[in-house]
Amino acid sequence: MYFKGQKFFVAGMSVSGESSARFLLERGAEVYIYDDVLSEKITQTMTELASIGARIVTVEKWEECAARCDILVLSPGIPIDTPLPVYFRKQGKAIIGEEELGALYLRATSIAVTGTNGKTTTVTMLNEIINNVGEHCVACGNIGNPLVKCVEELQFKDFAVLEISSFQLETLSSLRPHIAVITNVTEDHLNRHYNMENYIFLKAKILRNLKESEFAVLNYDDPIVRSFAQKTKAKIVYFSMKSRVDGAYFENGGVYFKGDRYFDISDMLTGGVHNVYNALACVAVAGILGLDKKKVGQTICSFKGVSHRIEKVREVNGITYIDDSKGTNVDAAVKAAQCMSCPTVILLGGKDKGDDYTPLFEGLSASPVVHAVIYGENRFKMLSAAIKAGFVSFSLCAEFTTAVQLAQFIAKPGQCVLLSPASSSFDSFTNYEERGDAFKELVESIDEKISE
């Protein structure tokens, strides 16, 4: 790609869009920047980019400016079927994402991780493992560190562990990882992808470029993921909690890779079946790479988890508060609830992603959850699903702050309050991190009662 000879239209000025624009400007490209949702932060970012050569595009002028450009660099937050990308497609012009831009210039050995749940934990754990065995590794992609921002620092001998979302896969075509990991596939983002068939197609897309010299690490216990073995030329390495597979598996309380015991799951700091699955995926990758077994086991067992994923915030007045703001879909919320070891009041709600919430309340009925506080934009859809599922212990309110306060008064000493919303945060927050931080602030502000 010849930067100085082409004009780029960068749409969406979030972290990935800003990083793409800077990457292109540093290489002498003519860059047009655009965002149709302007906040104080976005406006400041665009002003800074304009000071180093970018051209700001207003909402009224986007089509006129797009006509001048050769390539659209599309933020993952912008659907591929909205007017701007549709215009570029009709003109026969290229549409890429930040991840694609970075993939074109990536020299390091890449390990790509996708799936509905477990991506961030798996990527973070893999990054720690590879660095702890003495290699240089960077965790990037959808984890909040754009690939294009760090692609220059990564040399041929290094490793890049990439978190890849379904949104990014819409505009990603050149990435050819040495190892592709698919954690699981459950219903998510159907408001964006319309149906499960499209969502499944996108998740399988990560395997498309793999050749016989590469590896696909697949969750054997997930029927959809297991079927992906038929969609790639790569060597298949499975991981499983239920079967002794050719790869990583759980048996007799321990985690094994092809017959070698790595560690006992009782030694892991993180609990829950979902974390064992994440660990199994990491052991499969480590086994493929031939990493030191002892160091791999030590790293996984000492891993403390990631922020906003079943993270203890505080115990106050006998009630334990748990932040699982990253639980943005039904499957994640049910798994979080199943991890609770005491009666639990759960906070549910936010912006609807097109999910069916009936399985959510069916799953909660078989968990330690004793009450649900339902809030947010999708509260009435959740309410209908709760009634349909026969889940009747709930409260309803509109605002997040009110929901947290309600949960505080409903929960009794010895119980937990779990934020695991099964929804995106975009009705009230910029992202799940901001929602989790707001929850933590509210919890930290709770006054401790003084016993008489």
Side-chain angles (χ1 to χ4, degrees):
M1 187 178 292
Y2 182 56
F3 295 110
K4 293 183 180 179
Q6 294 178 306
K7 299 180 178 67
F8 293 81
F9 192 109
V10 181
M13 286 292 105
S14 59
V15 176
S16 66
E18 178 187 358
S19 298
S20 296
R22 290 187 185 279
F23 181 86
L24 293 165
L25 287 166
E26 287 169 1
R27 285 151 184 81
E30 188 172 330
V31 179
Y32 293 75
I33 55 174
Y34 172 76
D35 202 312
D36 61 354
V37 181
L38 296 178
S39 63
E40 183 178 342
K41 184 176 180 181
I42 293 295
T43 301
Q44 181 181 347
T45 296
M46 294 177 77
T47 301
E48 289 176 3
L49 291 171
S51 71
I52 58 173
R55 303 187 182 195
I56 296 176
V57 178
T58 62
V59 173
E60 298 78 19
K61 296 283 188 179
W62 77 258
E63 191 166 344
E64 177 187 326
C65 294
R68 303 176 198 160
C69 295
D70 306 295
I71 299 170
L72 171 63
V73 182
L74 190 67
S75 166
I78 301 174
I80 199 75
D81 58 355
T82 49
L84 177 59
V86 168
Y87 174 84
F88 269 81
R89 194 179 303 113
K90 285 182 177 179
Q91 301 299 315
K93 297 179 178 181
I95 303 173
I96 64 174
E98 171 270 319
E99 204 89 353
E100 172 70 4
L101 187 60
L104 291 169
Y105 298 93
L106 181 62
R107 294 165 293 190
T109 298
S110 60
I111 301 162
V113 180
T114 195
T116 305
N117 296 311
K119 297 186 296 296
T120 300
T121 301
T122 302
V123 165
T124 307
M125 194 183 291
L126 277 172
N127 182 57
E128 289 193 12
I129 289 168
I130 296 172
N131 280 309
N132 284 352
V133 298
E135 303 288 349
H136 178 237
C137 182
V138 173
C140 48
N142 193 56
I143 199 168
N145 182 28
L147 172 60
V148 79
K149 191 175 181 179
C150 54
V151 70
E152 284 297 324
E153 74 175 80
L154 291 164
Q155 305 301 316
F156 289 105
K157 63 181 180 179
D158 298 330
F159 289 87
V161 183
L162 304 163
E163 179 180 327
I164 312 288
S165 71
S166 60
F167 294 176
Q168 291 170 320
L169 284 163
E170 288 180 334
T171 55
L172 183 61
S173 58
S174 298
L175 182 67
R176 181 177 160 185
H178 182 57
I179 304 172
V181 181
I182 304 182
T183 58
N184 47 64
V185 175
T186 59
E187 190 174 278
D188 199 13
H189 300 304
L190 299 192
N191 60 329
R192 169 86 169 241
H193 303 309
Y194 298 109
N195 55 54
M196 274 299 287
E197 288 75 17
N198 288 339
Y199 183 58
I200 291 168
F201 169 80
L202 284 168
K203 289 300 184 185
K205 190 180 173 186
I206 200 169
L207 305 173
R208 185 171 66 182
N209 293 339
L210 300 188
K211 304 300 180 185
E212 292 83 355
S213 57
E214 282 104 33
F215 297 85
V217 173
L218 305 178
N219 183 346
Y220 186 83
D221 299 341
D222 186 313
I224 294 172
V225 177
R226 187 168 68 243
S227 72
F228 290 169
Q230 310 303 318
K231 301 178 184 290
T232 180
K233 297 177 182 178
K235 299 180 184 71
I236 304 300
V237 177
Y238 289 116
F239 61 96
S240 173
M241 279 283 290
K242 301 175 181 179
S243 304
R244 184 186 288 189
V245 294
D246 185 16
Y249 56 90
F250 169 77
E251 190 174 83
N252 299 323
V255 167
Y256 293 77
F257 180 76
K258 297 192 175 185
D260 288 334
R261 191 180 182 99
Y262 274 60
F263 57 89
D264 294 333
I265 65 167
S266 60
D267 293 332
M268 292 176 63
L269 293 180
T270 53
V273 172
H274 65 288
N275 276 318
V276 179
Y277 272 107
N278 297 333
L280 285 165
C282 291
V283 166
V285 173
I288 291 168
L289 295 176
L291 304 182
D292 183 273
K293 183 173 67 174
K294 184 177 179 181
K295 290 181 179 178
V296 170
Q298 289 173 341
T299 303
I300 292 175
C301 289
S302 62
F303 183 73
K304 295 180 180 179
V306 297
S307 186
H308 307 299
R309 187 63 177 129
I310 317 183
E311 179 188 8
K312 181 179 176 180
V313 178
R314 183 188 181 197
E315 182 180 338
V316 57
N317 301 323
I319 300 167
T320 302
Y321 292 83
I322 307 293
D323 172 16
D324 190 52
S325 183
K326 204 172 190 311
T328 60
N329 57 61
V330 168
D331 185 60
V334 171
K335 286 177 178 173
Q338 291 171 343
C339 286
M340 298 298 104
S341 58
C342 60
T344 297
V345 176
I346 191 170
L347 292 156
L348 298 169
K351 186 172 181 62
D352 182 46
K353 298 199 288 182
D355 293 352
D356 176 8
Y357 297 119
T358 306
L360 168 65
F361 291 98
E362 291 172 345
L364 294 181
S365 297
S367 78
V369 168
V370 295
H371 192 91
V373 179
I374 305 171
Y375 70 93
E377 185 182 287
N378 61 351
R379 62 191 181 278
F380 295 113
K381 182 178 176 180
M382 279 201 169
L383 172 64
S384 298
I387 294 170
K388 182 179 178 181
F391 188 98
V392 295
S393 182
F394 57 79
S395 303
L396 195 71
C397 63
E399 300 299 326
F400 179 78
T401 299
T402 305
V404 177
Q405 291 169 341
L406 262 177
Q408 173 191 341
F409 291 117
I410 291 168
K412 300 173 182 178
Q415 296 185 345
C416 288
V417 171
L418 169 66
L419 170 66
S420 191
S423 314
S424 81
S425 59
F426 300 135
D427 60 335
S428 302
F429 300 98
T430 305
N431 49 46
Y432 75 82
E433 292 99 336
E434 186 178 292
R435 176 173 60 191
D437 289 340
F439 176 70
K440 290 178 179 178
E441 287 180 14
L442 289 167
V443 170
E444 292 295 344
S445 69
I446 297 172
D447 290 331
E448 191 165 355
K449 294 176 183 177
I450 301 174
S451 300
E452 296 182 2

